[in-house]
């Protein structure tokens, strides 16, 4: 096998893909919560949280949602192809110290990032609940994987599968009956914000995995900065995990819209190119 | 016969009106005739004061006399003896405070244009170069970072016969030469050419390897590297910690320049986005501020350089300031931002306060002080912070035995040795933001230290 070769590719739902990349050094070193940066063909440099690793086989698994030009380029790469650039593991590993009971809350593609967290907690004999939220039934993925490591609750926005509602609904029920050392949350910013607001009422420590706009992922550009407890932090070197009760979510929600127009335009242009 | 002309032979330039519409190189380089005309201005002073002003002590008098003789290849070899990146240094060195500041011609007129001559010789050689190869059979050495310091160290060690591997975190080689300094000042082909030369010398390069993350220093030792040179630069951008810095439309100069230089966001088909801005404020007065400001001009913006001290105190290279002025940069001196104003998450203005210069501070420069109640607003839609950088914390965090000072700079002795055995450091990682040539000179020093240490083992 060649370095950075795609050895596995699976479509998990309409827009979410799983890929196994051969990179023994990264697979050997990566811990839950860390990310990689890929660049392939004319794509941008894109950070993706590591979904799983097989250190014996030297494979790093990434899960991504096709959302713009760069992820579209990646989604069109096939098994056997070598990615041009693949750097990692970046960011700090999630801190699981002294966590004996936890709830892992994920929304959409965030389930992929939440899985290694649940898996690691399970392996250290913690009691783990998992709440996975999806828009509807056809988008659900990783349910079986989670069931092997956590007591798993699925919610869908439209009620087409399992419990209808938002993750906060299920979380509130669990918070009313259980004691957690920590809640881990990964997903869209408004969802993480809602979870943080809820757990704050219950005074349960909550860790959010942040995924802001990045270029280098090593602290050089400062594009991934966010405000935590009134201080400027870089998600790549100080995070990506932060105390969810201290993150200024509103600022980050605004910052993540910086290139919305450009990206929509670039994506349309790319799709038109493919049609030709 | 000495040329008694009092001023430097003018350098051909792209016209300012034309060049603000492209990213092509501004200074076009001397012709043979212009170079020889300029070389003839050198008085060949007995004690060569110019050489004492050069951080790597290039034998300037000798290479200039070789230009006069028309022996350009020998001139190149003279420079290359102590400077392995002459095409880069000829373009980006602040000659006015180094070699040229010591030139005797500068007393009654302008100094000899040493930088331009260095560039001429390097470019002449690059067009006609012959492949230099060497056999590397000595111990394995790891160089961390492919910026000017790492390249200099790698080149010298390879020439001494060591097997050198350079690890680079980004997907492109060159460090700040690739992501920081723009194309119009340092064409990327020149950096690529220098890297190619090192490859021919036997240096191995590995991109996408973040030392401190993928491997730590001890792991490199276990992989059989007898010595390690840490040249990781000062990558972390500083911010002012004023309200509004989290708004969309506030960039660090590093981010703005990286989007343009490394990710080519100025090209129409780039997938990397960049905010263009009608009116841009660049905060700071150093070379990086000039690079960001002149890049913004080329992106089609009206650009203000907002600097808290006066024109005399601008730390940027003189030529860059002059070029910037020709291109239409507007300088707002004695002005300091206090708040960035936003609407719907995007920048709409910057509130500033007027400054005056007080007593000199520890750096010898007069300390700027706020004039009370002088606040005013500059309407702008983009703010670029070019306030300097601090060393990257990745290595420090992963290497507890590596001693650093309170600013996060790696502590080294006069040989470049760190607190860990056979681990050396240099460049901006040890000094904080400095110059290409200083970083290079430390890379060369460490190459010598490593050779001294290992050659008898």
């Amino acid at each position: 096998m060649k370095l950075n070769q795609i050895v596995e590719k699976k479509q998990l739902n309409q827009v979410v893909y799983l890929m196994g990349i051969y990179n023994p050094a990264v697979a050997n070193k990566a811990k839950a919560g860390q990310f990689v940066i890929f660049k392939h063909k004319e794509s941008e440099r894109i950070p993706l949280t590591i979904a799983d690793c097989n250190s014996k086989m030297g494979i790093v698994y990434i899960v991504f949602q096709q959302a713009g030009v760069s992820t579209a380029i990646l989604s069109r790469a096939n098994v056997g192809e070598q990615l041009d650039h693949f750097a990692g593991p970046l960011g700090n590993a999630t801190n699981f110290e002294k966590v004996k009971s936890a709830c892992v809350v994920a929304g959409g593609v965030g389930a992929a990032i939440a899985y290694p967290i649940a898996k690691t907690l399970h392996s250290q004999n913690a009691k783990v609940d998992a709440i996975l939220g999806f828009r509807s039934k056809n988008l659900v993925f990783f349910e079986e994987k989670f069931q092997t490591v956590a007591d798993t609750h699925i919610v869908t926005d439209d009620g087409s599968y399992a419990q209808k509602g938002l993750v906060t609904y299920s979380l509130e029920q669990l918070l009313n009956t259980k004691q957690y050392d920590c809640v881990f949350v990964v997903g869209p910013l408004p969802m993480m914000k809602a979870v943080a607001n809820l757990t704050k009422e219950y005074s349960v420590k909550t860790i959010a995995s942040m995924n802001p706009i990045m270029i280098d992922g090593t602290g050089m550009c400062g594009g991934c900065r966010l405000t935590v407890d009134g201080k400027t932090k870089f998600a790549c070197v100080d995070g990506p995990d932060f105390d969810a009760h201290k993150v200024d979510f509103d600022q980050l929600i605004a910052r993540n819209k910086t290139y919305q127009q450009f990206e929509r335009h670039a994506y349309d242009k790319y799709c038109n190119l493919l049609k030709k | 016969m000495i040329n008694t002309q009092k001023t430097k032979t003018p350098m051909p330039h792209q016209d300012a009106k034309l060049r603000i519409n492209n990213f092509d190189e501004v200074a076009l380089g001397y012709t043979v005739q212009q170079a020889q005309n300029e070389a003839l201005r050198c008085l060949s002073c007995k004690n060569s004061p110019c050489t004492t002003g050069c951080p790597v002590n290039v034998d300037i008098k000798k290479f200039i006399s070789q230009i006069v003789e028309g022996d350009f290849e020998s001139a190149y070899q003279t420079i290359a003896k102590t400077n392995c990146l002459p095409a880069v240094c000829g373009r980006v060195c602040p000659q006015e405070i180094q070699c040229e500041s010591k030139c005797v011609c500068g007393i009654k007129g302008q100094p000899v244009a040493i930088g331009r001559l260095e560039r001429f010789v390097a470019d002449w050689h690059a067009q006609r170069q012959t492949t230099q190869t060497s056999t590397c059979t000595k111990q394995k050495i790891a160089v961390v970072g492919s910026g000017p310091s790492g390249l200099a160290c790698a080149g010298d060690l390879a020439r001494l016969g060591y097997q050198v591997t350079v690890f680079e975190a980004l997907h492109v080689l060159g460090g700040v030469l690739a992501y920081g300094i723009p194309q119009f000042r340092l064409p990327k082909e020149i950096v690529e050419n220098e890297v190619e030369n090192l490859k021919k010398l036997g240096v191995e390069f590995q991109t996408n390897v973040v030392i401190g993350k993928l491997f730590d220093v001890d792991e490199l030792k276990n992989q059989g590297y007898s010595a390690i040179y840490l040249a990781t630069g000062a990558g972390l951008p500083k911010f002012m910690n004023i309200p509004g810095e989290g708004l969309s439309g506030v960039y660090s100069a590093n981010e703005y320049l990286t989007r343009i230089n490394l990710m080519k966001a100025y090209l129409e088909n780039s997938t990397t986005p960049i905010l263009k801005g009608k009116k841009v404020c660049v905060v700071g007065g150093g070379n990086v501020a000039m690079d960001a400001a002149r890049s913004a001009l080329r992106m089609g913006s009206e650009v203000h350089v907002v600097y808290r001290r006066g024109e005399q105190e601008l730390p940027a290279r003189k030529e860059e300031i002059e070029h910037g002025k020709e291109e239409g940069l507007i300088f707002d001196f004695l002005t300091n931002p206090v708040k960035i104003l936003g609407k719907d998450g995007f920048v709409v203005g910057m509130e500033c306060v007027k400054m005056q210069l007080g007593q000199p501070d520890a750096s010898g420069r007069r300390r700027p002080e706020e004039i009370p109640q002088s606040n005013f607003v500059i309407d702008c839609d983009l703010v670029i912070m070019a306030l300097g950088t601090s060393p990257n914390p990745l290595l420090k965090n992963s290497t507890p035995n590596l001693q650093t000072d309170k600013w996060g700079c790696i502590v080294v002795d006069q040989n470049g040795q760190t607190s860990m055995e056979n681990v050396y450091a240099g460049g901006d990682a040890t000094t904080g933001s400095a110059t290409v040539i200083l970083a290079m000179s430390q890379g060369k020093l460490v190459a010598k230290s490593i050779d001294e240490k290992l050659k008898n083992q």
Side-chain angles (χ1 to χ4, degrees):
Chain A
M1 269 185 289
K2 290 183 211 149
L3 190 67
N4 301 339
Q5 193 171 31
I6 301 169
V7 292
E8 200 180 325
K9 180 183 175 184
K10 225 183 338 193
Q11 193 163 357
L12 300 179
N13 67 32
Q14 291 159 316
V15 287
V16 175
Y17 295 80
L18 174 139
M19 267 183 191
I21 312 291
Y22 180 70
N23 189 316
V26 176
N28 194 35
K29 200 67 178 249
K31 292 200 174 77
Q34 290 188 294
F35 63 93
V36 293
I37 285 196
F38 84 87
K39 171 164 168 41
H40 190 50
K41 295 181 175 166
E42 62 274 29
S43 90
E44 283 193 76
R45 289 173 63 96
I46 297 283
L48 292 173
T49 306
I50 296 165
D52 205 356
C53 281
N54 183 334
S55 52
K56 246 189 220 152
M57 303 286 289
I59 299 168
V60 183
Y61 291 94
I62 50 174
V63 171
F64 61 94
Q65 180 165 347
Q66 188 195 310
V69 176
S70 297
T71 43
I73 290 168
L74 187 61
S75 73
R76 292 173 63 83
N78 287 315
V79 171
E81 210 171 308
Q82 261 178 298
L83 296 184
D84 293 343
H85 303 287
F86 191 80
L90 299 167
N92 299 308
T94 302
N95 183 1
F96 299 106
E97 224 176 297
K98 292 184 192 153
V99 179
K100 294 203 173 67
S101 64
C103 186
V104 179
V105 186
V109 71
I113 305 159
Y115 173 68
I117 296 173
K119 185 180 155 186
T120 311
L121 285 166
H122 177 73
S123 72
Q124 66 180 40
N125 296 320
K127 282 190 201 126
V128 190
D129 282 310
I131 304 170
L132 310 178
F134 298 94
R135 277 209 313 279
S136 66
K137 184 182 177 181
N138 59 350
L139 297 175
V140 176
F141 69 92
F142 269 21
E143 185 180 4
E144 296 88 42
K145 263 176 111 104
F146 269 96
Q147 278 165 347
T148 62
V149 294
D151 194 353
T152 306
H153 313 260
I154 308 275
V155 295
T156 49
D157 291 7
D158 62 2
S160 55
Y161 184 65
Q163 176 69 47
K164 178 180 160 77
L166 302 174
V167 289
T168 40
Y169 173 79
S170 295
L171 180 60
E172 188 157 20
Q173 286 185 322
L174 290 174
L175 286 170
N176 283 331
T177 55
K178 291 188 176 181
Q179 291 282 331
Y180 294 118
D181 294 330
C182 189
V183 168
F184 295 89
V185 58
V186 200
L189 288 170
M191 169 260 187
M192 290 203 279
K193 181 186 167 185
V195 166
N197 287 343
L198 178 64
T199 57
K200 202 169 186 178
E201 284 173 34
Y202 287 80
S203 303
V204 181
K205 182 181 160 188
T206 302
I207 300 296
S209 174
M210 309 307 283
N211 189 6
I213 295 166
M214 264 181 210
I215 308 179
D216 62 299
T218 63
M220 189 265 280
C221 79
C224 66
R225 66 190 183 278
L226 65 163
T227 305
V228 182
D229 206 12
K231 293 188 190 82
T232 299
K233 297 278 177 190
F234 291 180
C236 63
V237 290
D238 299 319
D241 289 353
F242 292 99
D243 182 338
H245 297 156
K246 294 179 177 164
V247 171
D248 183 344
F249 282 103
D250 292 335
Q251 183 194 66
L252 207 58
I253 288 169
R255 275 185 74 78
N256 273 13
K257 289 181 185 155
T258 304
Y259 302 111
Q260 222 169 35
Q261 261 183 321
F262 175 94
E263 275 158 1
R264 203 170 296 146
H265 178 70
Y267 187 59
D268 289 346
K269 215 161 82 179
Y270 179 75
C271 293
N272 284 336
L273 264 179
L274 293 181
K275 277 183 213 148
K276 276 179 195 164
Chain B
M1 187 194 64
I2 285 169
N3 174 358
T4 55
Q5 173 189 320
K6 285 265 179 285
T7 53
K8 291 180 179 179
T9 307
M11 176 77 131
H13 284 100
Q14 243 204 101
D15 184 74
K17 282 196 202 83
L18 275 178
R19 71 184 190 237
I20 56 164
N21 296 312
N22 65 51
F23 276 79
D24 298 339
E25 194 167 19
V26 170
L28 300 173
Y30 278 158
T31 60
V32 169
Q33 205 187 2
Q34 288 163 334
Q36 286 186 317
N37 183 60
E38 182 63 18
L40 279 167
R41 293 183 61 223
C42 177
L43 303 173
S44 296
C45 309
K46 215 173 200 173
N47 54 351
S48 306
C50 47
T51 294
T52 63
C54 173
V56 295
N57 300 115
V58 167
D59 192 343
I60 295 166
K61 183 169 74 178
K62 186 170 172 192
F63 96 74
I64 290 183
S65 72
Q66 287 162 326
I67 294 176
V68 172
E69 289 158 18
D71 189 357
F72 306 130
E73 181 56 28
S74 296
Y76 176 81
Q77 295 307 334
T78 301
I79 300 173
K81 239 179 234 160
T82 58
N83 181 346
C84 57
L85 303 170
V88 174
C89 291
R91 287 172 168 84
V92 305
C93 260
Q95 288 95 2
E96 71 264 23
I97 57 165
Q98 297 175 353
C99 51
E100 293 180 16
S101 74
K102 311 275 182 188
C103 178
V104 172
C105 294
I107 299 170
K108 286 194 172 159
Q110 286 183 338
V112 174
I114 301 168
R116 295 173 184 177
L117 291 174
E118 180 183 32
R119 171 186 161 156
F120 165 78
V121 167
D123 290 354
W124 189 91
H125 170 81
Q127 281 161 19
R128 296 162 182 82
Q129 63 190 263
T130 43
T131 311
Q132 193 190 357
T133 51
S134 63
T135 30
C136 301
T137 52
K138 292 185 188 165
Q139 292 97 317
K140 281 168 69 181
I141 315 284
V143 171
V144 182
S146 69
S149 201
L151 293 180
C153 186
D156 278 11
L157 286 168
R159 275 183 215 102
L160 290 165
Y162 292 94
Q163 302 176 58
V164 185
T165 306
V166 178
F167 297 98
E168 168 56 48
L170 290 174
H171 64 285
V172 175
L173 296 166
V176 73
L177 307 175
Y179 74 74
I181 303 177
Q183 182 78 9
F184 57 82
R185 196 150 81 84
L186 179 67
K188 297 308 143 219
E189 300 72 35
I190 285 167
V191 183
E192 284 159 21
N193 189 42
E194 301 288 6
V195 168
E196 279 312 308
N197 286 342
L198 292 180
K199 284 184 185 165
K200 285 177 196 158
L201 273 178
V203 176
E204 193 205 329
F205 288 92
Q206 288 190 24
T207 50
N208 301 312
V209 178
V210 185
I211 300 299
K213 285 292 176 187
L214 189 62
F215 307 123
D216 60 33
V217 170
D218 288 331
E219 284 169 313
L220 285 179
K221 284 188 177 175
N222 293 338
Q223 288 175 18
Y225 292 101
S226 303
I228 297 161
Y229 180 47
L230 305 174
T232 48
L236 218 64
K238 288 179 189 162
F239 288 90
M240 296 188 78
N241 293 315
I242 56 173
E245 275 182 317
L247 289 163
S248 295
V250 181
Y251 283 118
S252 71
N254 265 10
E255 179 178 2
Y256 189 73
L257 289 168
T258 299
R259 285 181 182 275
I260 289 178
N261 298 327
L262 190 74
M263 306 308 293
K264 308 284 174 222
Y266 66 91
L267 300 175
E268 198 177 337
N269 288 327
S270 175
T271 45
T272 294
I274 191 158
L275 294 175
K276 287 192 173 136
K278 285 194 184 71
K279 191 166 162 183
V280 179
C281 284
V282 177
V283 183
N287 285 318
V288 176
M290 294 307 130
D291 285 346
R294 295 174 63 203
S295 296
L297 277 177
R298 284 161 173 77
M299 297 299 290
S301 312
E302 175 186 324
V303 185
H304 290 243
V305 174
V306 175
Y307 183 53
R308 63 192 182 127
R309 301 179 201 247
E311 176 155 15
Q312 295 311 309
E313 286 78 21
L314 275 176
R317 199 170 169 252
K318 220 172 169 177
E319 191 181 50
E320 311 313 326
I321 299 167
E322 280 162 17
H323 283 169
K325 281 184 178 167
E326 287 166 20
E327 290 164 9
L329 285 186
I330 301 160
F331 285 85
D332 297 336
F333 293 114
L334 295 167
T335 303
N336 205 29
V338 290
K339 188 181 182 180
I340 299 163
L341 312 170
K343 194 175 169 239
D344 303 328
F346 283 83
V347 172
V348 294
M350 185 163 80
E351 185 180 324
C352 298
V353 62
K354 280 277 170 204
M355 309 292 280
Q356 60 191 4
L357 293 178
Q359 294 302 309
D361 63 12
S363 74
R365 293 187 297 180
R366 291 173 67 193
R367 187 197 300 273
E369 291 159 359
E370 280 187 17
I371 301 175
Q373 280 151 14
S374 62
N375 295 40
F376 67 104
V377 172
I378 305 176
D379 293 327
C380 61
D381 50 1
L382 211 61
V383 174
I384 302 172
M385 293 292 180
L387 308 157
T389 51
S390 47
N392 195 306
L394 286 184
L395 256 178
K396 183 183 80 176
N397 293 347
S398 69
T399 323
N401 293 332
L402 189 69
Q403 204 190 325
T404 53
D405 66 16
K406 63 177 172 179
W407 295 282
C409 298
I410 301 171
V411 176
V412 289
D413 67 13
Q414 72 276 14
N415 300 316
Q417 164 92 42
T418 68
S419 54
M420 294 171 77
E421 202 179 353
N422 292 337
V423 179
Y424 297 78
D428 284 3
T430 57
T431 56
S433 336
T435 57
V436 167
I437 185 96
L438 201 66
M440 226 183 69
S441 71
Q442 288 167 353
K444 295 180 73 70
L445 170 86
V446 165
K448 215 167 128 193
S449 302
I450 289 175
D451 184 47
E452 289 293 322
K453 181 88 184 277
L454 298 184
K455 70 180 171 195
N456 299 320
Q457 282 178 13

